[in-house]
């Protein structure tokens, strides 16, 4: 079981990197160089919605990427329109601009092509759905594991290491 678990972790990471490479190749093939692959996925996930930066961040698709920075770049390059909320000036609402909608359509076409090719050549919808169910189980497991991870008092963390270092130093190490 351990080997299969570790292989799954490695595969998930590898698939994510490969997918980002596929999105980059699609953008390059379209001659689009003013947006990167991560930004294109953020744009795709905004879709036809109007939302706040916080709402987008809560979706959690971006693996540590700086959503605010990426949104700023997309605003600068004309893919995202933003406006302050009339009710709360601290809150900024974002949506796709006309240029953003056009790119969303291109990315959606890519996803449609990929789904059709997968269905024709590799895996039917049932196999993909089964894989998704397994991935959802792992996601839920990791959420629970993060919450139940052992916690050490920050004041005592490293106390054993400091004691070992002192005895190592006194031994002439």
């Amino acid at each position: 079981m351990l080997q299969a678990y570790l292989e799954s972790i490695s595969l998930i990471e590898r698939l994510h990197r490969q997918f980002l490479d596929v999105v980059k190749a699609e953008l390059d093939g379209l001659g689009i160089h003013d947006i990167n692959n991560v930004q294109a996925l953020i744009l795709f996930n905004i879709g036809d919605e109007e939302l706040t930066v916080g709402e987008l961040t809560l979706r959690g698709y971006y693996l540590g990427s700086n959503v605010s920075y990426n949104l700023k770049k997309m605003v600068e390059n004309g893919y995202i329109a933003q406006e302050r909320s009339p009710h709360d000036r601290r809150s900024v609402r974002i949506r796709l601009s006309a240029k953003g909608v056009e790119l969303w359509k291109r990315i959606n076409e890519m996803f449609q092509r990929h789904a059709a090719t997968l269905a024709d050549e590799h895996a039917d919808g049932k196999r993909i759905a089964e894989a998704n169910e397994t991935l959802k189980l792992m996601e839920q497991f990791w959420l629970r594991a993060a919450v139940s991870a052992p916690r050490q008092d920050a004041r005592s963390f490293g106390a054993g290491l400091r004691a070992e270092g002192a005895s190592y130093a006194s031994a002439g190490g």
Side-chain angles (χ1 to χ4, degrees):
M1 177 64 184
L2 176 61
Q3 225 24 62
Y5 176 64
L6 295 174
E7 183 178 0
S8 293
I9 294 168
S10 178
L11 184 58
I12 290 166
E13 182 181 7
R14 231 177 21 253
L15 286 171
H16 179 70
R17 279 196 318 268
Q18 288 173 348
F19 176 68
L20 289 176
D21 289 346
V22 168
V23 173
K24 172 137 179 37
E26 185 78 14
L27 293 171
D28 289 347
L30 293 170
I32 298 172
H33 303 290
D34 60 347
I35 190 169
N36 67 35
N37 49 9
V38 172
Q39 292 165 354
L41 290 176
I42 293 171
L43 180 144
F44 186 81
N45 284 304
I46 293 170
D48 62 356
E49 295 185 70
E50 181 176 303
L51 37 108
T52 66
V53 175
E55 291 167 335
L56 184 62
T57 304
L58 284 175
R59 293 181 182 192
Y61 298 124
Y62 311 110
L63 288 180
S65 69
N66 185 326
V67 175
S68 295
Y69 169 80
N70 283 316
L71 286 173
K72 178 183 173 213
K73 297 309 278 182
M74 289 189 288
V75 167
E76 289 173 4
N77 290 320
Y79 290 100
I80 301 285
Q82 66 179 4
E83 59 186 54
R84 294 223 175 264
S85 168
H87 306 293
D88 181 355
R89 301 302 295 165
R90 298 168 297 172
S91 178
V92 176
R93 308 233 10 113
I94 57 169
R95 61 180 163 67
L96 299 185
S97 65
K99 183 178 179 181
V101 170
E102 286 306 309
L103 180 56
W104 184 94
K105 290 177 184 175
R106 296 297 193 92
I107 295 168
N108 189 53
E109 290 169 5
M110 175 192 75
F111 285 138
Q112 296 289 338
R113 266 193 338 270
H114 291 176
T117 302
L118 266 173
D120 289 346
E121 299 176 12
H122 302 286
D124 60 22
K126 182 179 178 204
R127 289 184 65 193
I128 298 294
E130 289 168 355
N132 288 343
E133 286 305 311
T134 301
L135 291 169
K136 288 175 187 175
L137 289 172
M138 288 182 75
E139 178 184 35
Q140 290 302 311
F141 169 76
W142 284 340
L143 288 170
R144 287 189 312 274
V147 169
S148 64
R151 305 283 187 242
Q152 185 169 12
D153 182 4
R155 291 168 291 169
S156 66
F157 181 75
L161 296 176
R162 285 191 296 276
E164 282 181 26
S167 64
Y168 177 75
S170 67

